Amino acid sequence: MNFNEAKNDILQVFSKTERQHLPKLLEWLKTSGDLDDFLVDNQSVILQSIAEDLRSCLPLEAMAPSETMAIQKTQQKPHPTVHVDAFLYDEEIVDSLCEEGKMSRNYCLNCGSHRTAPLEFISHSFSIPELQFLFRNVLPDLTGKLVVDVGSRLGAVLFGGYLYSAASQLMGVEMSSEFVKLQTMAVQKYGFSDRIQVIHADIRSQAALVQNTDVLIMNNVFEFFMEPSDQMQAWLFINKNFRKKGALLVTVPGIQEALTLLQDAVFLEKLALNQWIEEVQLDYTVYLKNDTDPDSLKQIHLYTVL
């Protein structure tokens, strides 16, 4: 992005009153060498605005009415776990909600006592810092590339890819009609429709799309939303169709962990991971800011198709 393009981008998120102070700021940025850092912060502001819009349309747990299986599986985890969408709720917002009594980080070990233990939080979306790490540090230059997010949910990957990369096309495949509507609303409101498209479908119906994909992103995509037999079918579908040599696969968590509950010998033999993909080692220390959880970054894994 050149300076003039950046200037126009910046102007879009400032009010008329604020714009009168921008010329000096823009001139300083132009000569100080801090433009890249400023743009990252500006893009974060846009993502925060999208998250605010989406929060107003969703209940606190940010789960769609149709996601009964995901809700049940979360409740069945051995340690008390709640879904807190990391794109919608950063640490500061979670702290505010806890102070207001609308959310809690702990649960009572014995009703009526003061003995508590921390709740586990799970998210099916990337946080904004994770999106920055993904598109600025994990993935290479995506100019001219097709990025597909399997189970695009609220569109965090699509919006992050639009703002932080030069990918020519970002496609979201989502089974929930409620979430497709929310993503489409945001795409239209923020003018992202030139590069983002959301499809209401099961990924298993999108063979041609997967075959042409350059970067495939999968964040907690099958375990909580499908029965084991369907999960195995979905993985075999990905394995069969995502075969473009040099294409990149991003998963959260790593594939080995994602397959932990799918220890079927015939399935694993068909999948033949070592003949299909190879993991790319990542430097998780390259992007550590004050608001970044290092453990969350370590959940992001990158593979290249052999």
Side-chain angles (χ1 to χ4, degrees), residues 16-167:
K16 290 182 179 179
T17 303
E18 293 168 325
R19 288 180 190 179
Q20 64 183 340
H21 303 293
L22 277 177
K24 290 184 179 179
L25 172 62
L26 290 168
E27 185 59 31
W28 173 75
L29 286 168
K30 189 175 182 179
T31 57
S32 70
D34 291 335
L35 179 60
D36 287 342
D37 289 339
F38 182 83
L39 285 176
V40 170
D41 292 339
N42 177 61
Q43 290 153 346
S44 297
V45 169
I46 297 173
L47 290 174
Q48 290 164 0
S49 177
I50 296 171
E52 183 177 0
D53 289 344
L54 293 172
R55 283 197 301 271
S56 68
C57 301
L58 289 162
L60 192 63
E61 64 274 15
M63 299 291 285
S66 60
E67 295 187 304
T68 53
M69 184 181 298
I71 295 170
Q72 290 172 357
K73 289 191 175 186
T74 301
Q75 294 172 343
Q76 290 167 0
K77 290 183 75 66
H79 190 92
T81 302
V82 294
H83 178 258
V84 178
D85 191 282
F87 179 62
L88 300 185
Y89 301 100
D90 61 21
E91 288 296 312
E92 185 176 339
I93 294 175
V94 170
D95 286 342
S96 296
L97 290 170
C98 289
E99 290 174 4
E100 295 170 11
K102 296 178 180 179
M103 187 180 287
S104 176
R105 292 184 181 274
N106 301 291
Y107 69 100
C108 184
L109 291 169
N110 298 107
C111 290
S113 77
H114 293 287
R115 295 180 64 236
T116 62
L119 284 164
E120 285 189 5
F121 286 178
I122 188 171
S123 175
H124 302 305
S125 298
F126 287 106
S127 66
I128 293 176
E130 288 165 357
L131 290 170
Q132 292 174 344
F133 175 67
L134 174 62
F135 286 106
R136 293 175 61 86
N137 300 104
V138 173
L139 295 170
D141 179 12
L142 298 181
T143 301
K145 302 298 185 181
L146 168 61
V147 177
V148 173
D149 185 21
V150 181
S152 54
R153 201 163 181 81
L154 297 175
V157 165
L158 306 179
F159 308 141
Y162 189 97
L163 293 167
Y164 294 130
S165 84

Side-chain angles (χ1 to χ4, degrees), residues 209-226:
L209 175 63
V210 175
Q211 289 164 11
N212 289 305
T213 296
D214 298 298
V215 179
L216 192 68
I217 300 177
M218 303 169 64
N219 184 357
N220 274 347
V221 69
F222 295 145
E223 178 187 353
F224 287 87
F225 304 96
M226 292 179 172

Side-chain angles (χ1 to χ4, degrees), residues 199-263:
I199 301 172
H200 181 206
D202 184 319
I203 191 61
R204 290 172 290 182
S205 69
Q206 301 297 312
L209 175 63
V210 175
Q211 289 164 11
N212 289 305
T213 296
D214 298 298
V215 179
L216 192 68
I217 300 177
M218 303 169 64
N219 184 357
N220 274 347
V221 69
F222 295 145
E223 178 187 353
F224 287 87
F225 304 96
M226 292 179 172
E227 295 293 353
S229 59
D230 287 325
Q231 291 181 49
M232 288 188 283
Q233 288 179 14
W235 275 113
L236 290 173
F237 171 86
I238 298 294
N239 174 269
K240 177 182 177 181
N241 292 284
F242 190 54
R243 288 284 178 170
K244 183 188 290 189
K245 186 174 181 179
L248 298 173
L249 173 65
V250 177
T251 70
V252 174
I255 285 185
Q256 295 294 349
E257 182 178 344
L259 299 178
T260 300
L261 300 178
L262 303 176
Q263 295 302 306

